[in-house]
Amino acid sequence: MNRHRFVTAAIAVACAFAVLSAPGLVAGAYAAPGPPAPTSSPSAVAPPTVGMAPGYVPAGQQPRKDGKTLQDVRLEIDGLYRKAATATDAYNLAQENVTKQSAEIVDLARELVDGQLRIDKLKSSAGATARAQYRSGGLPPEAQLVLTSDPGSFLDGIGRMRQGQKATTDLLTELTRAQDDLKTYAADASTQWQRLEDSRAKKETAKKEITKQIAAAKKLEAGLAKDERARLLQLEKDAASSAQLAWLGSGAVKDINRKASPEGKKAIQFAMEQVGKPYVWGAEGPSSYDCSGLTSQAWIAAGRNIPRTSQEQWRLLPRVALKDIRPGDLIVYFQDASHVAMYVGDGKIVQAPRPGRNVTLSGAGTMRILGVVRPDK
């Protein structure tokens, strides 16, 4: 009897080892920057079939009435939300540009008003000079000097004349400069207005794309039976768990519990306090967040202003090797940098995943890693 239990246990261990070492589980789960994986994410990895009886069909692989398997549906939903995430990044960038360009237009409008007031004042000064000359009989200063018989007055007049000529020249130069500045301000305002309109158009296009992709994903989910939705959720969890185990076992990160910087600790504290709040695209708190809204606000709370979008965070923040990651660093996911999360240690991240999900703790290796950035480097 004991021998039988020993053999059974040995077989179970061998099967488990075979499952964890299967190539299908490892591929794409913890890759450093490089070409995109053949699937949309590590969560796309199919459940293992090692050690199963002939004819066995894994969970999620049984064909449905429409010919698709539940795994096919899961991948399709995942792809739709990925497209929505990419569009959300475009929306956030356009919104950021709209805010910035609107402020620049307001500044230019003030400069236009100030420039016009300056020109009006200069013209008034020029008019005063002309009126003074008129009161003197309309004779130019040179003629008045010729008519004087007093040498002292003549010399004083020459000095005043030169001062007057310089003042007039300076006045005309300043007036010309002010008019040129006004033209420049007007041209800049026109350019900024066009940029603002372009950013607004991009924002609306991105908004339509987000709405379209989310609606398509929700329609797919709504078409599932109650038991299928439960199995779909379990498939997601199983795929994430497999990917995380493979990532941890790969040695991609030598030390998963380095110490965070003082600023990193503040950022982590803020992010962890948001756990349970819903994902809403374009949101940056305080009641809801999208992925980069969470990471940017967390680092603002730590005293560091960082770019608003995941793609800009990847493009502009200092990069560090994955093996050197420490808590507080941001992990950017997927080849298009469409998702970002904050590493909190112990191989985990805090993230705002996608529509229909809340801010949560997850395994850092559950999605395809593009790279790591450090806001306080």
Side-chain angles (χ1 to χ4, degrees):
M1 184 69 175
N2 290 337
R3 183 173 180 275
H4 176 71
R5 289 178 179 173
F6 176 82
V7 171
T8 302
I11 292 173
V13 170
C15 288
F17 180 82
V19 167
L20 290 176
S21 60
L25 287 178
V26 179
Y30 48 85
T39 53
S40 62
S41 74
S43 61
V45 176
T49 59
V50 177
M52 302 302 178
Y56 172 80
V57 181
Q61 297 295 333
Q62 299 91 344
R64 301 164 66 249
K65 290 181 180 179
D66 58 5
K68 296 179 181 178
T69 67
L70 201 55
Q71 179 74 351
D72 293 334
V73 174
R74 186 180 74 81
L75 295 179
E76 190 173 349
I77 290 173
D78 185 59
L80 290 168
Y81 279 124
R82 282 283 314 285
K83 289 178 181 177
T86 301
T88 297
D89 221 46
Y91 175 90
N92 289 336
L93 182 59
Q95 175 59 44
E96 194 173 33
N97 288 336
V98 164
T99 302
K100 179 182 177 182
Q101 289 156 0
S102 296
E104 288 173 348
I105 286 175
V106 170
D107 290 340
L108 284 169
R110 290 196 187 101
E111 289 172 342
L112 281 167
V113 172
D114 291 344
Q116 188 60 57
L117 290 174
R118 183 179 164 205
I119 288 173
D120 292 344
K121 185 177 180 181
L122 290 170
K123 285 182 176 179
S124 178
S125 297
T129 301
R131 287 192 296 272
Q133 185 175 340
Y134 175 78
R135 285 193 297 271
S136 67
L139 292 174
E142 296 87 344
Q144 295 178 30
L145 283 174
V146 170
L147 294 175
T148 184
S149 59
D150 182 359
S153 298
F154 181 80
L155 293 174
D156 289 342
I158 287 177
R160 288 195 299 272
M161 184 185 71
R162 287 175 176 171
Q163 290 176 355
Q165 287 175 336
K166 185 178 184 305
T168 301
T169 301
D170 290 347
L171 180 65
L172 292 174
T173 300
E174 189 175 356
L175 180 59
T176 302
R177 186 188 306 119
Q179 289 173 330
D180 289 342
D181 287 345
L182 196 63
K183 289 178 182 178
T184 301
Y185 295 151
D188 287 347
S190 177
T191 300
Q192 287 297 340
W193 186 262
Q194 186 58 53
R195 288 176 180 170
L196 176 62
E197 289 301 302
D198 290 344
S199 293
R200 283 175 172 163
K202 289 178 181 177
K203 179 181 168 184
E204 287 305 309
T205 299
K207 182 178 180 180
K208 290 178 182 178
E209 182 66 14
I210 294 165
T211 304
K212 173 185 171 183
Q213 300 300 338
I214 292 177
K218 287 183 176 179
K219 183 178 179 180
L220 269 176
E221 290 179 300
L224 297 174
K226 185 177 180 180
D227 65 319
E228 287 182 317
R229 287 196 293 270
R231 282 189 287 138
L232 182 70
L233 184 60
Q234 189 58 50
L235 281 174
E236 290 178 5
K237 291 179 179 179
D238 291 346
S241 178
S242 295
Q244 176 70 356
L245 284 173
W247 181 72
L248 289 174
S250 70
V253 179
K254 303 296 182 184
D255 182 356
I256 62 173
N257 286 315
R258 287 187 177 90
K259 291 184 178 180
S261 66
E263 293 86 356
K265 289 178 181 178
K266 292 178 183 178
I268 291 170
Q269 181 181 354
F270 178 93
M272 292 298 293
E273 288 172 353
Q274 313 315 310
V275 169
K277 293 182 180 180
Y279 176 105
V280 174
W281 62 267
E284 47 188 335
S287 58
S288 58
Y289 296 88
D290 62 20
C291 67
S292 57
L294 176 65
T295 54
S296 61
Q297 289 301 309
W299 272 101
I300 286 175
R304 298 266 180 161
N305 286 316
I306 67 172
R308 167 65 176 89
T309 71
S310 60
Q311 291 176 345
E312 290 296 280
Q313 288 171 10
W314 171 244
R315 187 172 72 88
L316 298 174
L317 293 178
R319 299 180 187 180
V320 296
L322 179 59
K323 64 182 180 61
D324 297 324
I325 194 171
R326 73 184 185 195
D329 289 347
L330 305 182
I331 303 181
V332 182
Y333 292 94
F334 307 116
Q335 199 65 25
D336 60 356
S338 57
H339 189 66
V340 65
M342 179 177 291
Y343 186 68
V344 297
D346 198 28
K348 295 179 181 177
I349 53 172
V350 58
Q351 64 162 334
R354 66 167 176 80
R357 300 285 189 266
N358 297 331
V359 176
T360 186
L361 275 174
S362 312
T366 57
M367 298 168 284
R368 182 172 176 79
I369 295 174
L370 177 62
V372 179
V373 293
R374 180 168 294 165
D376 59 338
K377 185 174 180 181

